[in-house]
Amino acid sequence: MAKYDVYIGSFKKGEGAAVLKCIFDDDSGIIGEADRIDTVRPSYLSISDDKKTLFAILEANEIDGVYGGGVSSINVSKEKMELISSQSTHSKGPSHLCIHDGKLIASIYGEGALVQFDIDPDNTIKPISNLIKLHGCGPDKERQTQPHPHHVCLTPDGTHIAMCDLGLDRIFMYPYDKHNGISLGAKEIPCPSGSGPRHLIFSNDGRFMYVLTEMGSTVLVFSYNKNADVKLIQEISCLPVDWKGENTAAAIRISKDGNELIASNRGHDSLALFFINEDGTLSSKGYIPTQLWPRDFDYAPSGNWLLCANQNSNTIVVYKKDSSNFYIPHSVMETDIMPCCIVWGNKIG
């Protein structure tokens, strides 16, 4: 019988905001809360390679009277989670993070910047060691009045940190090396005007980059070659052709076998399901209905299940793939934290 630790980030403000540690039973498809640690709006999470330390973005404008949001490291190697350290971002509205080579790189959505922290061997986060400020605006007079960096991740060849900027309709590729981290001189990859790129993911073989646009509700498919050489080869909608309501796309994932891509829709409240063709392009397979505001989701490590965090329903819904390779609801965990991020930990059985 296989079980896994799984950690849930929270979008709740004020009292009750927490990171949840849950146990997922891969045989029964049931998830349940095992522990929690209270903290300030820990929206997005990342876990160390050994899965003993969890890192969290604290998506706030002020913490304990100090201007700006923050980042935290949490020991999850024991039965009870324990806070290791926290540092201020000294700027409001951090949104995403990645961990590589003893460095934490965070995007600052609220003030248009990337910040870098060094991490000690005991996983204590040190003060900011590097800050890159962005400038400019996009065409939307309400949502793109300034840069809004969001998702950050390392490219497959390890040469750049890729960052989605919703405010500038750009993907920035910042040079990266394991000794110094990020540096200036980013390559800029334009996205369609007003599309608002939010999250991205690379194909399992590293040959393609898939960019999810929050405002456009599309997936942009790029070919990817080493040193951040990319070319746009497809743009495909995440919505049905007859959908007329408002929608903002949120998260994007690829299946364990690399054959399937899913993107979440907030508004349409669905998971858009795509087949990945041999040439990297996508073909729509339909829509999986969700509860309200599916902010994040992920495949179970075994690949047998799909878990979805529905922020405005306060639920984690577990889906199982049926005989037609579609997903049907299997179980539900109620929460009180506005769940918004799912990160897998260790296998525990």
Side-chain angles (χ1 to χ4, degrees):
M1 182 173 65
K3 294 183 178 180
Y4 296 89
D5 291 327
V6 58
Y7 302 94
I8 309 298
S10 166
F11 206 67
K12 185 176 182 178
K13 296 180 180 179
E15 186 177 354
V19 174
L20 300 188
K21 176 183 178 179
C22 300
I23 304 297
F24 179 73
D25 188 318
D26 197 72
D27 294 317
S28 68
I30 303 296
I31 182 173
E33 181 179 336
D35 188 27
R36 65 171 56 199
I37 185 167
D38 295 336
T39 186
V40 179
R41 209 179 191 187
S43 60
Y44 278 95
L45 312 173
S46 183
I47 198 162
S48 59
D49 289 341
D50 63 9
K51 300 189 183 301
K52 293 182 178 180
T53 307
L54 193 68
F55 297 88
I57 280 286
L58 308 181
E59 192 167 335
N61 295 335
E62 181 181 293
I63 299 176
D64 295 332
V66 177
Y67 178 82
V71 293
S72 287
S73 56
I74 301 167
N75 182 355
V76 294
S77 66
K78 303 176 182 179
E79 184 176 353
K80 298 289 290 183
M81 295 185 289
E82 299 175 345
L83 178 67
I84 299 172
S85 67
S86 294
Q87 286 288 349
S88 175
T89 58
H90 298 293
S91 48
K92 64 182 182 181
S95 58
H96 206 267
L97 76 165
C98 62
I99 312 295
H100 297 287
D101 304 312
K103 297 170 182 60
L104 185 158
I105 298 166
S107 56
I108 310 296
Y109 184 95
E111 294 192 11
L114 282 184
V115 294
Q116 179 175 297
F117 302 83
D118 292 332
I119 304 170
D120 280 341
D122 66 355
N123 289 310
T124 298
I125 304 171
K126 301 172 71 173
I128 292 172
S129 61
N130 193 5
L131 182 147
I132 296 175
K133 185 73 174 176
L134 291 96
H135 303 279
C137 62
D140 189 296
K141 301 304 181 183
E142 293 185 1
R143 298 205 57 197
Q144 294 182 310
T145 58
Q146 66 177 61
H148 287 306
H150 212 295
H151 184 95
V152 287
C153 66
L154 188 67
T155 57
D157 53 6
T159 61
H160 292 77
I161 291 291
M163 183 272 287
C164 296
D165 195 307
L166 182 146
L168 302 181
D169 291 326
R170 293 284 189 274
I171 307 300
F172 288 86
M173 297 282 191
Y174 286 93
Y176 173 86
D177 72 74
K178 64 181 181 180
H179 301 294
N180 301 309
I182 54 174
S183 60
L184 295 172
K187 296 183 179 182
E188 298 185 23
I189 301 163
C191 298
S193 180
S195 62
R198 173 183 170 90
H199 279 202
L200 65 81
I201 194 168
F202 291 92
S203 61
N204 293 359
D205 62 8
R207 296 172 52 227
F208 301 97
M209 179 176 75
Y210 299 92
V211 177
L212 183 66
T213 70
E214 177 174 330
M215 297 165 63
S217 296
T218 61
V219 179
L220 309 175
V221 183
F222 294 84
S223 60
Y224 183 87
N225 295 307
K226 63 180 181 179
N227 295 319
D229 178 23
V230 304
K231 180 181 179 181
L232 180 64
I233 59 176
Q234 185 189 24
E235 180 179 9
I236 186 169
S237 178
C238 295
L239 294 168
V241 293
D242 58 352
W243 173 255
K244 303 300 182 184
E246 294 184 2
N247 188 77
T248 53
I252 186 168
R253 305 280 190 178
I254 289 175
S255 61
K256 306 301 177 182
D257 61 12
N259 295 327
E260 183 179 272
L261 180 145
I262 298 180
S264 59
N265 287 311
R266 300 171 296 179
H268 187 250
D269 291 337
S270 67
L271 301 177
L273 181 61
F274 300 93
F275 179 77
I276 302 177
N277 302 307
E278 288 188 7
D279 63 358
T281 60
L282 303 177
S283 299
S284 178
K285 293 177 63 177
Y287 303 89
I288 305 164
T290 67
Q291 296 188 11
L292 298 178
W293 220 248
R295 192 177 181 91
D296 193 24
F297 62 94
D298 202 3
Y299 295 88
S302 67
N304 296 328
W305 308 91
L306 187 69
L307 277 63
C308 183
N310 302 290
Q311 177 184 314
N312 291 358
S313 291
N314 276 306
T315 58
I316 305 294
V317 176
V318 179
Y319 294 85
K320 186 172 184 177
K321 186 176 286 190
D322 64 16
S323 58
S324 64
N325 289 326
F326 201 72
Y327 291 89
I328 55 175
H330 176 78
S331 65
V332 179
M333 184 184 84
E334 303 282 345
T335 80
D336 59 357
I337 62 163
M338 303 181 73
C340 65
C341 184
I342 297 173
V343 169
W344 291 94
N346 278 313
K347 184 177 180 179
I348 57 176

